[in-house]
Amino acid sequence: MRSAFDFAPFRRSTVGFDRLFDMLENSSGQSQENYPPFDLIKTGENQYRIELAVAGFKPEELEITAQQNVLLVSGRKSDETSDERVDYVYRGIANRSFERRFALADHIQVKGADMRDGLLVVDLVREIPEAMKPRKIDIGTGAERSAIGGGDTPASRQTVDAEVEHA
């Protein structure tokens, strides 16, 4: 028997992770389709590759769609009925249509796809926008703040008083 994991304590103490918890809750009770088999490879610090075994598929029978946070790879056999003429003794190579979904983290972009040796290779890269990258904030002194005009120090009050007297 499987027991469901309760994410409620985590939901109460986090902000903005609803999609992650929904995904974990929805995937825990489902058995995943395992066709076609695939490898997920980390090729660099921010680079990934998905290799799907798509033996028997032509490039025009495959479709890759990148939606928000989802990569959808599907294969549709155009000539599934034409093999009726062939008398198979054993058929070990799957000849069926498929649809495989991959959940992508934020800022993961599809860079390209290629067919090599019966494998569909999809290259991915994490591109974090410049505005979201960590940046160092310098800590200034009170004198710098006064020079900018942001402080109300005795020196800045004296300057204001002197300007009023000259007017």
Side-chain angles (χ1 to χ4, degrees), residues 19-158:
R19 195 177 62 113
L20 173 67
F21 293 127
D22 290 342
M23 186 176 68
L24 290 171
E25 288 171 347
N26 292 336
S27 68
S28 62
Q30 299 174 352
S31 64
Q32 292 287 328
E33 172 72 26
N34 60 359
Y35 177 77
F38 70 94
D39 290 333
L40 179 57
I41 303 163
K42 187 170 184 175
T43 59
E45 187 168 332
N46 289 313
Q47 290 87 24
Y48 301 90
R49 178 181 303 134
I50 299 172
E51 295 180 348
L52 285 103
V54 291
F57 283 88
K58 299 172 190 157
E60 57 270 10
E61 295 173 330
L62 298 170
E63 184 175 307
I64 302 170
T65 307
Q67 300 168 343
Q68 184 173 352
N69 299 93
V70 175
L71 176 68
L72 176 64
V73 180
S74 57
R76 304 276 177 251
K77 292 301 289 182
S78 59
D79 56 356
E80 287 178 318
T81 56
S82 67
D83 284 343
E84 292 174 4
R85 302 173 282 174
V86 180
D87 187 20
Y88 287 97
V89 174
Y90 171 77
R91 188 165 191 169
I93 298 174
N95 190 25
R96 61 181 179 187
S97 298
F98 68 89
E99 186 173 275
R100 173 75 82 165
R101 293 179 183 269
F102 297 93
L104 301 178
D106 292 335
H107 313 297
I108 297 288
Q109 303 294 321
V110 178
K111 283 300 174 188
D114 195 14
M115 288 277 292
R116 291 184 244 162
D117 303 324
L119 295 176
L120 175 64
V121 179
V122 181
D123 291 315
L124 308 167
V125 65
R126 177 180 304 154
E127 293 179 345
I128 300 173
E130 203 61 40
M132 296 188 75
K133 289 183 180 176
R135 59 186 173 100
K136 183 176 168 101
I137 307 298
D138 293 328
I139 300 172
T141 63
E144 291 172 349
R145 207 173 98 213
S146 297
I148 296 172
D152 190 21
T153 62
S156 65
R157 272 182 268 145
Q158 289 174 357

